[in-house]
Amino acid sequence: TSPLPVTKRRRRRQRYYAPQGLNSLSLLLLCIFLSGCHCVDVTSQEADNVINSDNNDKTKLTTEVTLDVASAEMARRLIKRMKEVKDSLEKKKNDDDDDDSDDVGRKSWDTLIKVMDHLASSSSSEQTADKETNNNNDTTATIQNIHHHHLTQNEARKRALYWLSHQDTYEQKEVGTGFLHRYALAVIYFSLEGDSWNRCSSASHSGTGSIKANDCPTDNERYLSSASHRLWDGVNGNRDDTITWLDLSNRNVYSEQFLPLELTLLTPTLELLWVSENPDLSGTLPEYMGEFQKLESLNVHKTSVGGTLPDSLYTLRKLSSLRLYKSKFSGSISSNIGNMGRLKWLWIHENEFTGVVPEEIGKLKKLEGVTLHGNNFVPIVKEEVQEVEKRVQELTHEELEKRIQELKEELAMRKGEEVMVQKKEEAHTPKEDKTLRRKLTDVDEKKDSTLEGLNH
């Protein structure tokens, strides 16, 4: 992947760090003392629920945006590309026995394909050329009339298809996943009320009507610009236009269903997903989060996202940072968290979690920081505290014994080197004197350093 630009990587320095000398178990014990202490399963069988979601949400605008011929054709091309990419990924998975995603299917792709197929088949593609022209005008008028309202996911899809087929001027080859990612970002933009964001909204809407123009370093960084979507604000990716970084933090986004299903199109390459500091972002983490097997950082803190954590989240073995604090998550933390061996930062304070803190957290060897306070975890009793302290002492003693043995072996090797140098010194010539003295000094310094470590 291409390196991230410095301007996009710069974040505030985080404040939670583990004190030096604390291992994972002692860190867990410390955090427990300080604390006092509806996920959506998207499968292929639920495609109908996704299709009919507009009708089930009475708070949404019910205006129907009919697809014209060009938009319906764009939908069919996207479906074809989805199937090709999905087949390619499955073939690669079967050829590679070590693929991390072997045990995770892509049911969400099947669901999305069915949703898109329904959208295309119910369009006005069978109309005559005259009707097509009228529909194009009606669609444009409808889109202009509803861009201030909260859109359902189906309406967002239709707007994205219309933009991609009629307004987008970016020249790209419709191959691979890059083409799908541009469509996915467009759906995300419309479904999260992109026109009302506090920065880098689409230039075609900023400053028009009641929408204020917002700041953006360059026009290329605005969403829906004619530039590559890799240049859009908070987005970064590879040269083939696939996305590895999506940062939607602190944008004044609005959504009652977390992110749209099109997010799953980013699963092959996405490594970072940040949607934090958006209080109007609600919903639950979808079950298909487990398909993001390359994901390394997930930030959903300071939002209204809640519900229980999906079981598939614990299958993300590359995840090193999970920040969910100051949101509305509930339920218990699964013992499967012990499978997340690369986890370094676990910040889940000030939520509504319940149950017992799983001891598997203490077995995460790379864990450097964890916050648990402000939840409803079951308090740990005195006997359990004593058991944890005993395990910490045993673990520390075992580690010390191992380190002492290593230092003793290293000291013996240094002494052997010293004897060899001294024997050579007895038979040295004046020309070799300076070299031998330097070697002997080096050996002495290394031996002193080893002795110092052994004494410590």
Side-chain angles (χ1 to χ4, degrees), residues 20-27 29 362 387-406 456:
Q20 291 184 354
L22 287 181
N23 56 26
S24 296
L25 280 173
S26 57
L27 179 62
L29 179 62
E387 179 64 23
V388 172
E389 287 177 338
K390 181 180 177 182
R391 289 177 57 196
V392 170
Q393 292 172 357
E394 291 175 350
L395 181 61
T396 303
H397 179 72
E398 181 182 347
E399 290 177 342
L400 282 174
E401 287 292 339
K402 182 179 179 181
R403 181 58 180 156
I404 288 172
Q405 184 60 33
E406 291 175 351
H456 178 72

Side-chain angles (χ1 to χ4, degrees), residues 78 125 163 200 218 221 240 349 432:
L78 287 166
S125 58
W163 170 77
C200 291
T218 65
E221 294 183 53
D240 60 355
H349 61 276
E432 297 173 326

Side-chain angles (χ1 to χ4, degrees), residues 63-69 71 124 127 131-146 158-159 161-163 165-167:
T63 304
E64 184 70 17
V65 182
T66 304
L67 287 184
D68 55 48
V69 173
S71 299
S124 58
Q127 296 180 0
K131 291 184 178 180
E132 175 190 349
T133 303
N134 293 332
N135 283 336
N136 286 343
N137 295 333
D138 292 342
T139 302
T140 304
T142 306
I143 289 177
Q144 292 175 345
N145 290 333
I146 70 173
K158 294 171 183 177
R159 288 194 63 186
L161 288 169
Y162 184 87
W163 170 77
S165 58
H166 291 280
Q167 299 171 330

Side-chain angles (χ1 to χ4, degrees), residues 307 309 324 329-333 348 351-355 375-377:
L309 300 182
L324 308 176
F329 292 100
S330 58
S332 59
I333 303 298
I348 58 175
N351 276 284
E352 301 172 9
F353 288 115
T354 57
N375 286 287
N376 299 314
F377 290 120

